Amino acid sequence: MANYWHEDIECMDLAEMKKLQSERLVKQVQHVYENVPYYRAKMDEKGVKPADIQSVDDLHKLPFLSKADLREAYPYGLLAKPLTECVRIQSTSGTTGKRVVAFYTQHDVDLWEDCVARAITAAGGTSDDVCQVAYGYGLFTGGAGLHGGSHKVGCLTLPMSSGNTERQIQFMRDLGSTILCCTPSYAAYIGETLHEMGLTPDDISLKAGIFGAEPWTEEMRRTIEKSLGIKAYDIYGLTETSGPGVAFECSEQTGMHINEDHFIPEIIDPETGEVLPEGSIGELVFTAVDKEAFPLLRYRTRDLCKLTRGKCSCGRTLIKMCKPMGRSDDMMIIRGVNVFPSQIETVLIEQGYAPNYLIEVDRRNNSDTLDISVEMSAEQFSDKMKDVQDKEKALAGAIKTMLGISPKVHLVSPKSITRSEGKAVRVIDKRKLHD
Ligand code: DLL
C-alpha cells in the first residue's frame, strides 16, 4: 500500500511556510510583470513595481484581479507562457457570459494533480483504493482533476463521468469502488437510487466520498453519509486556480486545509477591498504563487468564507477555510434580508425532508416573494389536503424562524423535482428578468 503524504509541506511550521510563499511570490510577480502586459498595466496603474514585493507581507500592495478582468482578457490576455508550452485547457461550467478559460503547462497539471492527490490521501485514499470519478469529464475541472489526483495516489481509477446512475451503482458493486467523487447533490441522488434499487450500504464497498464544486450543508453531509454508509469529505477549488484541490478536508472535518504552498489566501471586505483579520467573514482571495501559464495575483473568488489557523488533530499545519457560505452573488436580498440557499437547506433537512427543493424569488406589487417547493418522500406523501397544508405551515414557520421572513412553502409529490448529476440549480430569481 502506498500513499501520497507530503508531510514536509503539509506539516510545515508557519515561519518556514511564509518563507517558501515569499520566495515563490517574489518570483511570480516578476514573471507576471515581464510576461503579461495586462498585469503590467494594472500594476503600473497602481504604482507597484515588482521590487516593491519582497515578501507575503507586501501582498496587499498588489491590485486585485476579478472575473471582469478575466472576461476582458479572454481568451489569451492573461497567458504568461507561450501557447506552445501549454498542454491543456479547461473551462468553467458557467452558462452565462463568456466562459473562463484556464491554461496549463505540464508543470501546472502536475501541481494541480498533486493538490488533488493530497485531498484523496486526506480522505484516507491509498493505492489500495478503487476511486470512482463521477464528476463530469470534459472542460469542467471536476472529472479531469479527480482523475489525475487518483492516478497520482495510485488508486484504481474508474472514469465514469456523471450520469447514468443505475450503471454507476452497478459498476460500484461489480468493481468494489471504495471512494466516490462527485458533486454532493449527485451523491445524494446516487444514495437515493441505491435505496430505490432495493440495496443498502452493505451491498457496496464505499468508505469515503470526496464531494465539492457547489455549496452543501452539514445536514446534507449527514444525509449522504447515512444513505451511502461513508464518511463524506469536502473539496474546494475553482477553474481559475486550476480546479478542485485548492483546499480539502481531513479526518477532523472542521474546515478545509488550503494548499497554501501554492495558493496564498486572504479574506477581504467585499465592499472596500480591505484585508480583514483572521477569523473574519469576507470574500476569499487567492494568489497562485507557482502556476506558470495562468498565474493569478489576488484573484477575487466572490466566495464568502472565513480562515482559521490552529492545531489540527490530523497533524497538518495548513491554514483552514470554512465551508464557503455561498458566493457573494448567490446571496439573495429578499425584502431587505440577506438569504443564502444553504440556510433554507439546513431547515429542510432538520425538519426531515430530503435535499430536493427549488427556491423561486420574484417581485409582485413591488414586494419580494419567496416560494419554496419541497419534495415529500413516499412516506411523507399524503393525499389529504389538510395534512399537507399543516405540514406546509409548520415548515414555513421553521424557515421564518431561521430567516426572519415568511416564505410560501409548496410540498410537492415525490420525484417531481429534477435531480442533479452535476452542480444543482436550486434558485430561480425571476426579479432579474424584470430588471
Ligand atoms: O467547481 C472546481 C471543483 C470541481 C471543485 C470539483 C470541487 C470539486 P468552477 O466550476 O470554476 O470549479 O466553480 C468554482 O464553485 O468559486 C465556489 O463558488 C464553488 N465551489 C467549489 N467547490 C466548493 C465547495 C469547480 N466545496 C466555484 N463548497 C467556486 C462550496 C464550492 N462551493
Side-chain angles (χ1 to χ4, degrees), residues 6-122:
H6 282 176
E7 190 174 356
D8 52 334
I9 296 284
E10 296 183 60
C11 300
M12 195 176 249
D13 78 47
L14 182 56
E16 245 186 291
M17 178 58 77
K18 268 187 94 168
K19 189 162 163 267
L20 176 69
Q21 288 174 330
S22 296
E23 283 165 10
R24 290 181 172 176
L25 175 69
V26 169
K27 268 203 217 147
Q28 184 72 304
V29 171
Q30 192 79 41
H31 167 59
V32 158
Y33 193 82
E34 280 168 11
N35 294 294
V36 187
Y38 194 93
Y39 270 114
R40 188 158 58 239
K42 274 188 91 91
M43 284 175 61
D44 286 346
E45 197 183 313
K46 209 168 178 237
V48 194
K49 294 280 173 238
D52 298 324
I53 310 298
Q54 296 294 330
S55 81
V56 283
D57 296 330
D58 298 321
L59 193 57
H60 67 98
K61 296 179 184 164
L62 290 168
F64 290 117
L65 193 74
S66 69
K67 197 141 202 154
D69 290 305
L70 264 55
R71 292 213 171 102
E72 198 181 318
Y74 176 89
Y76 300 125
L78 291 170
L79 200 59
K81 281 278 179 186
L83 264 184
T84 48
E85 285 184 42
C86 295
V87 297
R88 180 88 71 81
I89 290 175
Q90 303 278 170
S91 177
T92 50
S93 44
T95 48
T96 53
K98 269 186 199 156
R99 284 169 167 262
V100 169
V101 186
F103 299 86
Y104 307 69
T105 60
Q106 187 57 50
H107 159 92
D108 296 334
V109 173
D110 286 339
L111 182 160
W112 176 25
E113 293 179 348
D114 276 346
C115 289
V116 180
R118 288 183 195 172
I120 296 174
T121 304

Side-chain angles (χ1 to χ4, degrees), residues 67 91-94 135 140-143 146 211-216 234-240 243-245 256 301 303 323-324 326-327 330 423:
K67 197 141 202 154
S91 177
T92 50
S93 44
Y135 284 108
F140 175 51
T141 56
L146 270 296
F211 306 133
E214 62 185 1
W216 54 308
D234 204 350
I235 184 167
Y236 169 89
L238 49 159
T239 313
E240 297 87 316
M256 292 180 265
T301 62
D303 290 321
K323 269 183 173 301
R327 292 199 147 202
D330 278 347
K423 295 191 192 227

